[in-house]
Amino acid sequence: MQEYKTRPSMKKTNSNLITLNVVFVVCLIVANVVTAKVIDTGLSISGTPILIPGAALTYAMTFLCTDIIGEIWGKEEANKAVWRGFFAQMIALLLILLTQFLPPYNEEMQHSYEMLLGQTPMFVLGSLVAYLCSQKWDVWIFHKVRDIFCADPEFRWIWNNISTFTSQIIDTAIYISIAFGLGLGWFFQDGGIKLTLCMILGQYLLKAGLAVLDTPFFYLFTRKK
């Protein structure tokens, strides 16, 4: 079957590519900042609450960005975006740490800063490991499935959702285990392992739901003319 050569609705310009990369990086950095807030879903499994980190909503948008880049600009540009995001997170971490250890004028403000961003190093470590594993997998499986269907635009929802669903499993399991299981010590607390597993489940279900909801946006930006 011959690959379709129609043009996407989003123009293949440097300006649009830069915009997607900027949105991608901003979402990554914001996710690392807000992840310390644990959100109570109000749901539970056998009495154990299902919790999700604050980063879940923001981070889910990053997969949409790389999928759009991969669909329009190709696998190489999608991989470049992944590496740009990695180095951007490293720079953000260094700047946050530098600011934290500079002498404070107000001790109360310093305490508030550390309460908000003090856990960032462990969260970023978990994020970076999960990020590289899941995003590289996302790009690879996206194009692997896309090639199977010869990029027939009728089946875009298949490679878009398969790549996102599977990469979110990798990302969620690794990130929650490192950031909360090890970073906050949940693995070593009574009932902590069950709480960690419930958070993994809760975050994955949220991300899976968001992946379904972002499919129309993927179609909107990549629809063929």
Side-chain angles (χ1 to χ4, degrees):
M1 186 182 296
Q2 187 175 5
E3 181 172 341
Y4 285 69
K5 297 296 183 180
T6 50
R7 295 171 56 192
S9 62
M10 175 177 275
K11 293 182 179 180
K12 191 177 180 180
T13 64
N14 285 335
S15 177
N16 284 336
L17 181 58
I18 290 172
T19 299
L20 283 170
N21 273 278
V22 169
V23 173
F24 177 71
V25 170
V26 168
C27 287
L28 286 175
I29 294 175
V30 170
N32 288 329
V33 172
V34 303
T35 193
K37 178 174 181 177
V38 179
I39 301 171
D40 187 355
T41 64
L43 304 174
S44 64
I45 298 177
S46 300
T48 302
I50 297 178
L51 309 174
I52 59 174
L57 294 171
T58 307
Y59 193 70
M61 293 178 60
T62 64
F63 291 94
L64 175 61
C65 291
T66 51
D67 284 354
I68 293 174
I69 292 172
E71 181 69 20
I72 298 177
W73 283 272
K75 183 178 181 180
E76 183 178 352
E77 281 298 338
N79 276 318
K80 286 181 181 179
V82 171
W83 284 111
R84 290 186 187 107
F86 177 81
F87 290 116
Q89 289 180 91
M90 291 297 295
I91 293 171
L93 174 60
L94 291 175
L95 292 175
I96 289 171
L97 287 175
L98 174 62
T99 305
Q100 180 177 347
F101 291 108
L102 289 174
Y105 171 73
N106 185 299
E107 289 297 332
E108 185 177 347
M109 183 62 70
Q110 176 71 8
H111 178 69
S112 298
Y113 184 92
E114 292 177 355
M115 284 289 291
L116 176 63
L117 299 174
Q119 296 291 339
T120 294
M122 199 62 184
F123 286 145
V124 172
L125 174 63
S127 177
L128 289 176
V129 175
Y131 169 81
L132 281 180
C133 293
S134 62
Q135 292 283 0
K136 295 295 285 185
W137 167 267
D138 181 67
V139 173
W140 180 82
I141 195 65
F142 178 93
H143 290 276
K144 190 72 174 178
V145 178
R146 188 175 186 271
D147 289 343
I148 292 175
F149 289 91
C150 299
D152 186 340
E154 181 181 349
F155 299 106
R156 295 201 307 283
W157 64 274
I158 296 179
W159 56 79
N160 170 235
N161 283 301
I162 286 179
S163 63
T164 302
F165 286 156
T166 55
S167 58
Q168 294 285 23
I169 294 174
I170 297 170
D171 173 71
T172 303
I174 294 176
Y175 175 70
I176 297 299
S177 296
I178 294 177
F180 292 88
L182 295 175
L184 294 186
W186 287 8
F187 282 162
F188 313 107
Q189 300 172 8
D190 185 33
I193 293 179
K194 188 175 182 181
L195 186 62
T196 303
L197 291 175
C198 285
M199 176 175 270
I200 291 174
L201 176 61
Q203 182 173 356
Y204 178 71
L205 291 177
L206 173 65
K207 287 180 176 179
L210 291 174
V212 173
L213 293 176
D214 76 25
T215 301
F217 293 98
F218 177 74
Y219 264 69
L220 174 66
F221 290 112
T222 65
R223 72 183 187 276
K224 308 299 181 179
K225 292 183 178 180

